[in-house]
Amino acid sequence: MAHESLVAVSYPVDDELARINTGALDGLASVVFLNGRPEDEFRGLVHAADALIGWHLSEELPAGVLADSAGPRFVQLLSAGADAVDFAAMPGRLTVASNAGAYAQPMAEYVVAVTLALARRLPQRHAELARGEFGMWKPVLTLDGAVCAILGFGGIGKATAHLMRAFGARIHAVNTSGRTSEPVEFAGTLADLDQVMAAADVLVIALPLTRTTRGLIGARELALMKPSAILVNVGRAAIVDERALYEHLRDHPDFCAGIDTWWHEPGPGSGFSTGYPFFDLPNLIGSPHNSGVTDGALQVGARKAAENVRRFLHGEAVTGVVRREDYL
């Protein structure tokens, strides 16, 4: 029965990533790597595959290659988000799974690092010292007893809550069911958004970008928050209205934000720019969408993705299945 299945990998791999993919599927499937192959050979292998592992599908796959009746029944993403997938070009026979939770631990560490820096007002105090000011007694915040509201209580949200609780934070969790077995003070759904935002000392956005969450947080929602609150976005930029967040930060200097995902992220070789002068603001920390990027993180993600494909080929329940109606 060995190697009766075929798994195609469309993202570029080095020797280590190749070993991870082949090792996870050894004895169950043959693995072929598509990057750099001629298009006719590439298409033929995709059509012959039972499953496909990809990252940026629109960049990796020839147009229309998945629309034919032949081809894989399962597409596994290396990325945790699925908002870049063109579901209109995906036939209904295909099951698509995101790599949900694969990068949760490093992203949770990032959330805590940025939150602590902003709570202690480190960017502001640093800038003041550079100007010759010594604000020793200016107020800062503590996480001990603070409400940390987490929008999106999946892998990233739970890992963040685990670390935040160590600092004494009280967790308010928002997910699709309004229930969780985790030790939280409050659990609700997006129907409770106003209440959650008003209570938050720290608001962590770890939601996927879907039809429901796009533009979820605008000027009205930000106005509900405490004047000294902290917003950290490790989900997707478009969940928050760009202009509204900039103006709220500009007009409320005690409000702070940590932004890891941006509204206009550059492609390879392109420069980065923002629609508003965020980096003129002293109450912001920005990072280049690298909250999940640590040494070995991609290897962990590749292993998790390959293991999910193994479950699919075994006929077992897979994780991270994406509802296409959330995106179309």
Side-chain angles (χ1 to χ4, degrees), residues 87-286:
F87 283 96
M90 292 275 189
R93 62 177 170 78
L94 269 175
T95 299
V96 180
S98 72
N99 210 5
Y103 313 102
Q105 190 59 37
M107 292 179 72
E109 292 176 9
Y110 169 92
V111 170
V112 172
V114 170
T115 300
L116 286 170
L118 292 172
R120 302 295 296 189
R121 302 309 196 232
L122 294 186
Q124 295 94 321
R125 300 297 93 86
H126 179 90
E128 290 166 4
L129 286 170
R131 295 194 300 266
E133 302 172 18
F134 200 80
M136 181 176 180
W137 298 107
K138 287 188 174 182
V140 296
L141 306 181
T142 178
L143 296 184
D144 189 16
V147 171
C148 176
I150 303 175
L151 307 184
F153 208 62
I156 298 166
K158 291 174 183 176
T160 298
H162 175 74
L163 296 181
M164 286 288 188
R165 282 194 294 268
F167 291 92
R170 297 176 289 144
I171 307 301
H172 289 199
V174 170
N175 59 16
T176 55
S177 69
R179 300 183 302 275
T180 179
S181 60
E182 296 287 311
V184 302
E185 184 175 273
F186 171 83
T189 68
L190 286 178
D192 303 299
L193 182 64
D194 287 5
Q195 169 190 336
V196 168
M197 295 194 71
D201 296 292
V202 179
L203 182 75
V204 179
I205 302 172
L207 291 162
L209 179 62
T210 66
R211 292 190 307 159
T212 300
T213 63
R214 184 178 293 274
L216 179 71
I217 297 174
R220 187 193 73 82
E221 289 75 22
L222 291 169
L224 297 172
M225 298 189 72
K226 297 175 182 179
S228 60
I230 297 167
L231 181 152
V232 180
N233 190 359
V234 291
R236 288 292 186 265
I239 294 168
V240 183
D241 181 88
E242 182 180 16
R243 176 178 177 177
L245 180 58
Y246 169 76
E247 291 181 349
H248 195 79
L249 287 165
R250 181 196 64 192
D251 298 342
H252 300 82
D254 289 332
F255 188 91
C256 296
I259 305 177
D260 185 52
T261 58
W262 297 89
W263 294 267
H264 313 285
E265 296 194 356
S270 302
F272 170 68
S273 62
T274 61
Y276 297 88
F278 280 97
F279 294 99
D280 292 344
L281 300 172
N283 46 343
L284 171 95
I285 292 178

Side-chain angles (χ1 to χ4, degrees), residues 71-97:
R73 296 169 290 129
F74 182 66
V75 172
Q76 171 66 52
L77 302 176
L78 194 65
S79 60
D83 50 284
V85 175
D86 181 7
F87 283 96
M90 292 275 189
R93 62 177 170 78
L94 269 175
T95 299
V96 180

